[in-house]
Amino acid sequence: MSATLDPRPATRVPRARSGTGRALQKGQQTKAAIVEAALGLATHIGLEGLSIGALADVTGMSKSGVFAHFGSREELQISVIREYHTRFEQEVFYPAMTAARGVARLRALFDNWMKRTSIEIDSGCIYISGAVEFDDRTGPVRDALASSVLTWHAAMRRAIEQCKELGELRADTHAEQMLFEIHGLILALHYEARFLQTPGSMARAIQGFQNILARYSAEAPAAAATAAPAVAKRRKVSNQTTSKE
C-alpha cells in the first residue's frame, strides 16, 4: 500500500532532466556547426563579410534560427575569433609543449606556426585579415582579435625568455625584439606567398628563422672570442714574416 501511495515523482524528474540535457546538447551542436560554417566563410571573405543572412544560406537554416544562437553579428564574429584561437592553440601551441624548454621548444613553436601558415596561404589567416579590417576601429570584436594575438605573442615571448634563462640565447637578447623579427617573417611570408605568389617564400622564411637564432645564439660570442685570438695570431705571424723579409 505504501509503495502505491508513494507520491515521489522519481520516474518523472530524470526524464525531464534527460530531455533538457538532450535539447541543450543539440543546441550546442547546432551552434558549433554554425561557428564551423562561419569560420570557413571568414577565412575567405573576412570577419566583416559575415552576416546572419549569409550563414543562414550556407547552413540551410532560417535567419531567426541563426540569430537565436548568437543574438547579433558582433557576437557571431567574436565566437569565430575564439574558435579560430582555440584551433590555433591546438595545432601550434600545445604540441610544442612536448618539446624540451629552450631553443627546442622555440623551434617547435615556429615549425608548427609555419605548418599552419602553409595551409593558410591558400585559405587565409583571420589574425592577418582581421587586423586589416579592425586596425582603425574600437569595440569588442577588435578587442577579442587583439587579445588572441597578444596571448600567442606572450607564449612566444615566454619561450624566448626560457631560452635566455637556460643560457641558449645571449643574456642581452631583447625578447620583444626577437619576437618582432619572428612575427615579421610570418607576415612577410603571407604577403609574398599569398599576394605576390613569389616562389621559394616558405624556404626563405625558414632560413630567416635560422638566421635569427644564429644571431641571438649564446654560442655566437664564444665562437667570435675563439676566432679573435686565432686572427690575431695569424696577423702576428704575418708581421714577423714581413719584418724578416
Side-chain angles (χ1 to χ4, degrees):
M1 179 71 70
S2 60
T4 304
L5 297 176
D6 189 351
R8 291 177 298 174
T11 58
R12 293 194 297 273
V13 173
R15 287 175 186 167
R17 288 178 180 174
S18 177
T20 302
R22 283 196 297 271
L24 180 61
Q25 184 179 16
K26 184 178 180 181
Q28 291 172 338
Q29 290 173 344
T30 302
K31 184 173 183 177
I34 296 172
V35 172
E36 176 76 23
L39 182 57
L41 280 176
T43 55
H44 289 90
I45 63 177
L47 289 166
E48 279 295 84
L50 292 179
S51 69
I52 300 295
L55 275 176
D57 291 339
V58 171
T59 59
M61 298 177 61
S62 65
K63 290 183 181 180
S64 60
V66 175
F67 187 83
H69 286 281
F70 297 96
S72 69
R73 179 167 170 264
E74 185 177 83
E75 186 181 339
L76 170 64
Q77 291 171 322
I78 292 174
S79 295
V80 168
I81 292 169
R82 288 173 178 165
E83 179 63 22
Y84 181 85
H85 182 71
T86 296
R87 296 188 184 193
F88 187 93
E89 286 186 324
Q90 291 172 345
E91 294 177 22
V92 180
F93 177 74
Y94 290 117
M97 292 301 101
T98 60
R101 287 189 177 189
V103 171
R105 182 172 293 181
L106 184 60
R107 284 183 182 276
L109 287 169
F110 181 78
D111 289 345
N112 294 344
W113 198 1
M114 287 291 290
K115 289 176 185 176
R116 185 176 177 88
T117 301
S118 66
I119 297 173
E120 291 181 333
I121 286 173
D122 294 324
S123 63
C125 172
I126 287 180
Y127 285 163
I128 294 177
S129 62
V132 174
E133 292 175 312
F134 293 91
D135 62 344
D136 58 350
R137 303 186 188 187
T138 58
V141 178
R142 186 192 188 283
D143 292 344
L145 188 62
S147 176
S148 295
V149 175
L150 290 174
T151 298
W152 167 236
H153 280 194
M156 287 291 289
R157 194 182 301 108
R158 281 198 303 272
I160 294 171
E161 292 288 359
Q162 288 171 356
C163 291
K164 288 176 59 179
E165 293 167 4
L166 293 170
E168 296 179 342
L169 294 179
R170 297 199 321 261
D172 64 346
T173 298
H174 194 291
E176 199 67 41
Q177 178 63 33
M178 188 174 184
L179 170 61
F180 183 90
E181 294 174 17
I182 294 173
H183 190 206
L185 291 175
I186 300 296
L187 297 178
L189 176 59
H190 271 275
Y191 194 93
E192 291 284 337
R194 184 170 168 79
F195 179 57
L196 298 180
Q197 300 183 353
T198 306
S201 298
M202 185 70 71
R204 275 190 283 278
I206 293 172
Q207 184 59 55
F209 180 70
Q210 299 297 338
N211 293 344
I212 291 172
L213 278 185
R215 191 167 68 255
Y216 288 103
S217 174
E219 297 178 0
T226 303
V231 172
K233 185 176 181 180
R234 285 197 298 270
R235 288 176 179 173
K236 183 176 181 181
V237 171
S238 177
N239 291 338
Q240 290 176 347
T241 303
T242 303
S243 61
K244 288 179 181 180
E245 292 176 351

